[in-house]
Amino acid sequence: MQTLIKNGTVVTEEKILTADVLIEDEKIITVEKNLPATGVDEIIDAEGLYVLPGGIDVHTHLDLDVGATVSADDFYTGHVAAAFGGTTTHIDFATPAKGETLKSAYEEWLGKADGKAVIDYGFHMSVVEVNESILREMEQLSGWGITSIKVYMAYKNILQLTDEEIFRVMQVAARKNILTAVHAENGDVIDFNVKSLLRDGKTEPKYHALSRPPLLEAEATHRAIYIANAAGANVYIVHVTAEMSLAQIVESRKRGLKVLAETCPHYLMLDDSYLELPDFEGAKYICSPPLRKKSDNEALWKGLSEEDLQIVSTDHCPFNFKGQKDLGKDAFNKIPNGLPGLEERIPILFSEGVAKGKISLAQFVKLTATNPAKIFGLYPRKGVLKTGADADVYLLNPNAERTISVKTSHGNLDYNPYEGLKIKGKIEKVFRRGKLIVDGERFLGEKGSGIYLHRSSPIVN
Ligand SMILES: [Zn+2]
């Protein structure tokens, strides 16, 4: 089966050109000007459209059990939402319970995706406790196609590791060429703050943010970078939210230290004023780290345009307002943490970033596809439009406009944090490994057709 996408504006990290993309079965055969249509089964006219490499979201939490409840999207509903948003690959976090082996968490997450996946997926492995057997098991990760781990400096007594534990994990990661992703917030101080606030009767959503100020993120970011470099490990700071944390990253690089980092759409678009919405609606905007100030939004956009941040991911972890977020009606620490983003990431970054002139089209492709592929061991199979790559492609009409609303979103959620946001640019078609899975408003993906990706070593230059 051959498909020819004709006359589109093809965008890669290096160049923008009017060209045709020839797809055969699951792969891109070639990207060239004026390709002949002889023998081609289907021709798609992409004149006036951008032809872009399928998005890769390296930070999602589908079907995640957080104790009191489970994140609202599973590997089907989350994938449908992702596909409508131009994302054809994601990396989720396999997270073992304490006492559980890494292998069993890996198998559990394969089971969550099995029979449901529509887009392609991989896993990071969360390391939530450190002992000899976990450290030994880490040596096997790359054999399962897992080349990145995640450690938490926050969530005391649940996920948090001590500095010594993080250092020991990073030493193994360095030896095995595994990238360590770090949730950088000072969990000890936050835990004390949460208890103090609740004791004083300060239970509303806005106190969640006050319990974990940007200073405690910046401090942990600094510590993560320095510990990683002391261990000789490659480190990736997830969900950078604040100017102060970004400054730690920039300053560390000036000193010759190695660090990579991401931010997420909600930290670019939303600020802490949302936490004060009446009728408990602030709970819709509870995530960790929390939303910051408008000045932080602006600093992060600058961080993208100056390429101090390498990736925009989503930390997609949705919880319904009714029945989930309201678990925390009487205490902010019981509100499940997380916002959606899988469907909104690419449209928002295009509209607010490219169309408003904050980032270039090439940077947009790097942030959403090429850098994620390189840093997380999927390049050049994913993240690029060139011969031999998977035919993960979407077509975007830069001039069409629409408005984001929960009524037209595809995830399994009863609200949309970007409700009413006017978006420039509309995704018209999405191909995943050569198969058309989104055509306008129609979803054509087959449940269970997404595949698990064995990732290679990170490219961190
Ligand atoms: Zn997360």
Side-chain angles (χ1 to χ4, degrees):
M1 167 82 184
Q2 284 198 344
T3 305
L4 184 63
I5 302 173
K6 276 205 82 68
N7 297 320
T9 303
V10 177
V11 187
T12 72
E13 61 170 330
E14 290 140 5
K15 53 185 183 240
I16 299 167
L17 70 166
T18 302
D20 304 339
V21 178
L22 180 63
I23 296 169
E24 184 169 60
D25 300 327
E26 298 194 340
K27 297 286 182 186
I28 293 173
I29 298 297
T30 187
V31 179
E32 279 177 67
K33 282 178 192 290
N34 302 320
L35 284 169
T38 40
V40 168
D41 301 279
E42 185 159 23
I43 298 170
I44 288 163
D45 181 12
E47 193 168 345
L49 306 180
Y50 287 128
V51 182
L52 298 148
I56 301 172
D57 186 346
V58 301
H59 190 156
T60 63
H61 301 280
L62 300 179
D63 197 3
L64 179 69
D65 188 339
V66 294
T69 189
V70 179
S71 62
D73 276 320
D74 66 8
F75 278 76
Y76 182 69
T77 64
H79 283 196
V80 173
F84 275 101
T87 288
T88 50
T89 300
H90 76 117
I91 309 178
D92 210 270
F93 295 86
T95 305
K98 282 186 182 164
E100 191 185 356
T101 63
L102 304 183
K103 181 75 183 289
S104 104
Y106 163 60
E107 287 170 348
E108 187 186 342
W109 256 258
L110 283 175
K112 286 175 192 272
D114 189 41
K116 290 185 176 169
V118 184
I119 64 169
D120 293 346
Y121 57 95
F123 303 129
H124 315 278
M125 180 60 69
S126 301
V127 179
V128 302
E129 63 183 334
V130 176
N131 53 48
E132 291 308 322
S133 80
I134 293 285
L135 292 172
R136 252 196 321 276
E137 228 193 338
M138 275 183 62
E139 314 254 347
Q140 298 175 38
L141 286 173
S142 61
W144 311 334
I146 296 177
T147 53
S148 50
I149 55 163
K150 165 99 169 270
V151 297
Y152 291 83
M153 301 172 94
Y155 301 114
K156 194 170 184 179
N157 300 323
I158 306 170
L159 300 167
Q160 185 176 330
L161 300 185
T162 65
D163 291 352
E164 179 195 335
E165 288 170 335
I166 289 171
F167 184 71
R168 293 179 69 193
V169 165
M170 284 175 164
Q171 281 188 319
V172 177
R175 190 152 42 75
K176 302 300 287 185
N177 201 7
I178 286 170
L179 181 63
T180 304
V182 181
H183 178 128
E185 286 186 292
N186 187 318
D188 287 356
V189 179
I190 290 168
D191 186 61
F192 172 80
N193 283 344
V194 170
K195 287 177 185 151
S196 305
L197 287 161
L198 291 175
R199 202 174 43 233
D200 294 345
K202 294 176 171 166
T203 61
E204 299 144 84
K206 67 177 179 186
Y207 293 109
H208 171 80
L210 293 177
S211 74
R212 39 208 323 147
L215 276 166
L216 298 182
E217 180 186 321
E219 183 279 324
T221 302
H222 177 91
R223 191 155 35 101
I225 297 168
Y226 280 66
I227 292 174
N229 279 270
N234 288 309
V235 65
Y236 177 83
I237 308 295
V238 298
H239 48 46
V240 173
T241 73
E243 185 278 330
M244 206 180 273
S245 314
L246 180 57
Q248 294 294 338
I249 290 164
V250 173
E251 178 64 24
S252 298
R253 286 205 190 104
K254 281 191 192 141
R255 291 180 182 275
L257 303 180
K258 287 208 291 185
V259 52
L260 299 160
E262 67 174 22
T263 189
C264 313
H266 43 285
Y267 300 121
L268 294 162
M269 297 296 297
L270 307 171
D271 62 72
D272 60 1
S273 65
Y274 286 86
L275 303 173
E276 304 201 38
L277 288 174
D279 303 323
F280 193 61
E281 290 213 33
K284 293 176 176 175
Y285 297 89
I286 293 288
C287 52
S288 293
L291 300 179
R292 306 297 190 189
K293 302 287 178 201
K294 284 202 170 64
S295 56
D296 292 299
N297 301 156
E298 290 314 311
L300 294 172
W301 277 115
K302 188 158 167 277
L304 297 182
S305 74
E306 295 184 356
E307 305 194 5
D308 293 327
L309 296 163
Q310 284 66 52
I311 291 177
V312 175
S313 72
T314 63
D315 200 2
H316 181 91
C317 194
F319 296 98
N320 285 297
F321 184 53
K322 291 212 167 58
Q324 295 194 295
K325 289 285 189 184
D326 56 13
L327 291 166
K329 256 213 149 358
D330 300 320
F332 67 80
N333 67 330
K334 299 284 194 299
I335 302 169
N337 285 202
L339 293 182
L342 261 171
E343 184 165 1
E344 295 80 13
R345 178 182 71 129
I346 282 175
I348 285 178
L349 206 64
F350 182 82
S351 180
E352 293 287 322
V354 179
K356 290 192 174 172
K358 289 179 181 160
I359 55 172
S360 72
L361 200 50
Q363 285 176 326
F364 166 76
V365 165
K366 274 200 243 184
L367 290 164
T368 55
T370 315
N371 286 349
K374 286 181 175 170
I375 292 170
F376 289 94
L378 293 167
Y379 189 87
R381 177 176 178 182
K382 304 282 191 190
V384 65
L385 299 179
K386 68 175 182 190
T387 302
D390 279 358
D392 296 338
V393 187
Y394 66 97
L395 308 183
L396 185 145
N397 179 345
N399 297 314
E401 292 181 12
R402 68 185 182 96
T403 302
I404 291 185
S405 171
V406 64
K407 295 190 196 87
T408 48
S409 306
H410 297 85
N412 184 31
L413 198 60
D414 63 3
Y415 74 102
N416 191 307
Y418 307 103
E419 187 71 36
L421 181 70
K422 288 192 168 46
I423 288 284
K424 189 137 198 223
K426 195 165 189 305
I427 292 167
E428 300 201 341
K429 289 185 197 296
V430 181
F431 296 85
R432 184 233 53 215
R433 279 181 285 111
K435 170 92 174 70
L436 184 64
I437 58 170
V438 170
D439 190 7
E441 300 307 316
R442 288 191 305 155
F443 184 71
L444 305 171
E446 191 191 330
K447 206 171 180 178
S449 63
I451 57 169
Y452 176 72
L453 299 166
H454 283 261
R455 296 184 289 121
S456 43
S457 296
I459 302 172
V460 292
N461 58 48

